[in-house]
Every structure is written in structure tokens, then in C-alpha cells.
Amino acid sequence: MYTGIRNMQYHSMQEYGEKHMRHTISDQNIAQFSEMLKNHERSDVTIRKYTRDVLTFRQWLGDDKSFDKVRIMQYKEELQKKYKTNSTNSMLSALNTFLLYMGWSECKVSTLKVQRSSFRTSQKDLTKEEFARLLKAAREKGKEQLLHIMETIAATGIRVGELPYITVEALNTGRAVVTLKRKTREILLPSPLCKVLRKWCHKKGIKSGSIFVTRNGNPVDRTNILHMMKSLAGAANVLRSKIFPHNLRHLFAVNYYENEKDIVRLADLLGHSNINTTRIYTMTTGERELTSLNRVADTFILVT
């Protein structure tokens, strides 16, 4: 019995010691972490984001650069006060990844539980009419490349990072082969899109390779695409909060699902390995569901 009590005391002291083990983050730690992410073929955006989140935590520590799990729990509480749940979880996930890489798993903290929403807010949902106005504004402003980039994302559902794989050769076959993050997938290119893009390539003298490039031949930058899209807000009369490249991917998903009602095939087209991820893309503002719900409710409500 006494041996059991001593063992319990020993493990409690050991757990306490691990919980309060102090660590510090050096510039070298962060550089090595960034290199690890690069070796695992994480995107440049992800690497910058994870690195920034670790630096934010180190800056929050202040003069006392050392920390333990208790300190990180305090940091978590501060994040909750300052950011929305999704943002807090995103920052904690990045920090947890760094802690695991450093071998400091005892300092990991759990993310906040989120009740999954069934609907998107109308402030985020881009409609087909609004998209058409964005295209019109891009054409009127002479932003032809931006016009075709938006058309391509909305017509195929591809990610911005997959744009370099839209090549002249892909237009000729109607299929683009994308290799990112150690995964390879095939993207189908609709005939109307191929026709428009081939015409544009002929006009610009693009005979081979990626068609969305800068004057120096480099892939177009996602940040520049975002800024150029948002610059259309006023002319298109669309809320800036709705204008970002990934929302065009969502627009594709919503419209494909409305027409085909095939979420499995949609998951393939979007390149999702988990169908639960695809469900997020098919969320609507709920107006159509509310109309259907009202019809059902009418059969159970006594009209007076």
C-alpha cells in the first residue's frame, strides 16, 4: 500500500516537473522550424504563417523569454480575449506544431472547441451576380489577366497555388496535372474555359508553359491577386469582405453541388481527402433551407 502511495507521489511530482519545465525560443530554433516545414513541402504561405505565430508568442513573453506550459495557458487566455475562436485555434495549432518539433510536447495546449455552423453568413457568401460584376469591372479596368484568373478559379475550383499548373499544354488536353505537398491530382478544364484561355494566349503570344505569369515569367503572386481583386470592390459594388480568391473556389463548390448533388465527386474535384472538408464548402446562407423548412412547418401549424 505504502509503495503504491509513494509511486503516486513520484508520478505527481514528475508530471508537475514536466508541466513547469522552462524553455526559451531562439532565432536558430525558428529558422530550423521554418526549414523543417519547407522540407515537408508546406506552402510558403503556411511557413510564413507558422513562423509569424511563433514569433508572436515569443514577443508576448516580454522580457522573461523563458516559458512553461502554465505560461502558454496564460497566453491562450490572452488570445481568447483578443481574437475570434478560429483565429485563436489557428495560432495555437501553429505553436503546438513548433513545440512538437522542438520536443517540448509537455507544453502543448488544447485548442478551443468549436460548434460547427451549418450555414455561412451572407457577409461572406459571394453570389453569381456579384461574381459577374467583378468580371465586368476587371474587363472595364483593362485587368485582362485578373479577369481570366478569376474565371479559371471559379470554373474549376482550383486553389490559387495551383494556377502555375494551368499551362498551354493543359489547355490543349483539357487536363492539368498538379503536384503539390507530395500529392498529385488531375484537374479537368471545361471546354468553354479552354477556348477563352487559348484565345488569350494567342493574343499575348504565350506558346508554352504556365499562362498566368508576370512580365519576368514568374508565377503570379497570390498577395497581388488578392489586392487586385479587392481593388474591384467599388466598381463592382461588392463588399470587400467577400472578395478573395478562395471565395471563388467556394462559389464553384456551391454551384456544382446545387446542380449535381454529388458531394463525393465534388470532393474529388476540389482535391479533398476528407469529405467533411467538402461539406464546409457546400454551406449556404440558409435562405433556401429556410424556405423549405417553412413549407414543412406550414403542415404542422394551426392557422387562426
Side-chain angles (χ1 to χ4, degrees):
M1 177 178 176
Y2 292 110
T3 302
I5 292 175
R6 283 197 300 271
N7 286 338
M8 290 174 62
Q9 290 174 335
Y10 170 77
H11 287 301
S12 296
M13 292 174 64
Q14 186 180 40
E15 290 173 0
Y16 180 85
E18 289 179 349
K19 186 176 181 180
H20 294 271
M21 189 178 296
R22 308 292 292 189
H23 302 288
T24 56
I25 302 173
S26 67
D27 290 340
Q28 185 179 8
N29 293 151
I30 296 176
Q32 291 172 340
F33 176 59
S34 177
E35 187 65 23
M36 180 276 291
L37 294 173
K38 184 177 180 180
N39 290 336
H40 280 76
E41 300 183 26
R42 305 302 292 269
S43 69
D44 291 341
V45 173
T46 298
I47 294 173
R48 287 196 298 268
K49 194 267 182 198
Y50 276 38
T51 303
R52 183 174 63 248
D53 288 343
V54 175
L55 286 171
T56 298
F57 170 65
R58 189 175 71 169
Q59 184 177 9
W60 176 85
L61 289 171
D63 295 334
D64 182 10
K65 297 297 183 183
S66 65
F67 65 92
D68 54 15
K69 180 165 184 175
V70 173
R71 196 81 173 105
I72 295 183
M73 290 170 66
Q74 293 170 348
Y75 176 63
K76 176 180 175 180
E77 292 179 0
E78 289 296 319
L79 290 180
Q80 288 180 258
K81 296 176 184 177
K82 189 174 181 180
Y83 299 101
K84 294 181 179 179
T85 300
N86 288 340
S87 296
T88 296
N89 282 344
S90 177
M91 296 175 76
L92 290 176
S93 293
L95 182 57
N96 280 339
T97 301
F98 171 76
L99 295 172
L100 284 175
Y101 167 73
M102 293 300 301
W104 302 335
S105 58
E106 79 281 356
C107 289
K108 276 186 58 181
V109 293
S110 60
T111 54
L112 307 175
K113 292 184 178 180
V114 181
Q115 178 66 43
R116 187 172 63 188
S117 174
S118 299
F119 308 107
R120 284 166 58 92
T121 63
S122 58
Q123 286 75 22
K124 290 185 177 180
D125 209 26
L126 185 72
T127 67
K128 286 187 288 187
E129 292 74 21
E130 289 171 328
F131 175 66
R133 295 204 297 270
L134 287 173
L135 295 182
K136 183 173 182 291
R139 185 181 298 280
E140 291 175 350
K141 287 178 175 288
K143 299 181 181 294
E144 195 171 6
Q145 185 187 66
L146 178 61
L147 165 68
H148 294 315
I149 286 174
M150 292 191 294
E151 287 177 329
T152 300
I153 298 175
T156 62
I158 65 171
R159 303 174 177 91
V160 175
E162 295 172 331
L163 281 172
Y165 295 90
I166 306 300
T167 63
V168 173
E169 293 76 14
L171 296 181
N172 293 331
T173 62
R175 297 166 185 265
V177 178
V178 173
T179 302
L180 286 172
K181 300 180 182 179
R182 294 179 290 183
K183 295 180 181 179
T184 298
R185 77 184 189 99
E186 189 175 66
I187 296 172
L188 300 179
L189 305 177
S191 297
L193 176 67
C194 290
K195 182 178 179 180
V196 168
L197 294 183
R198 279 197 295 266
K199 183 177 179 180
W200 184 64
C201 287
H202 179 73
K203 177 180 177 181
K204 292 295 182 179
I206 304 173
K207 297 181 180 179
S208 64
S210 299
I211 68 173
F212 297 123
V213 293
T214 64
R215 292 178 180 176
N216 297 326
N218 298 317
V220 289
D221 182 79
R222 69 173 65 227
T223 302
N224 288 338
I225 293 174
L226 173 63
H227 291 328
M228 286 190 295
M229 284 181 61
K230 286 190 177 292
S231 71
L232 302 175
N237 191 27
V238 178
L239 291 174
R240 285 178 60 86
S241 60
K242 292 185 177 186
I243 305 175
F244 50 95
H246 203 73
N247 222 12
L248 304 184
R249 182 166 153 86
H250 171 81
L251 181 64
F252 165 83
V254 169
N255 283 278
Y256 181 89
Y257 186 72
E258 285 182 352
N259 284 285
E260 302 299 328
K261 295 295 186 292
D262 188 343
I263 197 168
V264 175
R265 183 60 187 138
L266 176 59
D268 290 338
L269 292 173
L270 293 174
H272 291 160
S273 56
N274 188 335
I275 203 168
N276 286 327
T277 303
T278 312
R279 290 187 70 252
I280 298 173
Y281 282 74
T282 60
M283 287 194 304
T284 65
T285 59
E287 294 176 0
R288 179 172 301 179
E289 285 78 3
L290 183 57
T291 300
S292 300
L293 185 61
N294 287 339
R295 286 199 298 267
V296 173
D298 278 341
T299 64
F300 298 104
I301 302 300
L302 178 63
V303 179
T304 58

